[in-house]
């Protein structure tokens, strides 16, 4: 068998698989939509603040001058930034790092300082050296 025969055989197999997949897809029945109780109802998600914020969004730049939009944005900020909106359990406080004293701030950096290690000293070119 030569290369042409393998190419033809591969093409025939590919076409047969494509026709079979198409036939299976066409004979498949459509699934019934989810039950109405599974969908959220429009009346359950009515939020007047959300509706006002959407209206202000459509106003664009004019929303910054609209007093109703300014009040809606303030109420929205209060919703997320109010003390009641914060979780009761707080993260543990991070340990305080020791503050540097005046004498330690004036000393030279340690030898294990990565910034100092990576920075090469500036050297002036020698008189006969080309730049």
């Amino acid at each position: 068998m030569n290369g042409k025969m393998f190419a033809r055989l591969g093409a025939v197999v590919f076409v047969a698989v494509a026709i079979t997949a198409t036939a299976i897809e066409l004979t498949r029945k459509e699934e019934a939509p989810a039950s109405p109780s599974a969908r959220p109802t429009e009346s359950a998600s009515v939020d007047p603040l959300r509706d006002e914020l959407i209206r202000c969004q459509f106003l664009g730049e004019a929303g910054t001058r609209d007093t109703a939009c300014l009040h809606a944005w303030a109420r929205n900020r209060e919703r997320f930034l109010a003390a009641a909106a914060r979780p009761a359990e707080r993260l543990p406080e991070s340990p305080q790092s020791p503050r540097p004293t005046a004498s330690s701030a004036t000393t030279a950096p340690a030898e294990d300082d990565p910034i100092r290690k990576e920075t090469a000293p500036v050297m002036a070119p020698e008189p006969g050296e080309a730049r």
Side-chain angles (χ1 to χ4, degrees), residues 22-77:
T22 304
I24 290 172
E25 187 64 32
L26 290 175
T27 59
R28 203 172 179 183
K29 292 182 181 178
E30 289 187 26
E31 295 178 9
S35 65
S37 62
R39 293 185 194 151
T41 59
E42 291 295 323
S43 62
S45 65
V46 173
D47 183 11
L49 179 59
R50 181 176 183 270
D51 294 338
E52 183 67 20
L53 291 170
I54 291 173
R55 184 188 72 82
C56 294
Q57 181 182 10
F58 285 119
L59 286 178
E61 188 179 342
T64 60
R65 293 182 296 273
D66 186 18
T67 57
C69 290
L70 295 174
H71 289 294
W73 288 328
R75 284 193 315 251
N76 192 40
R77 278 191 305 272

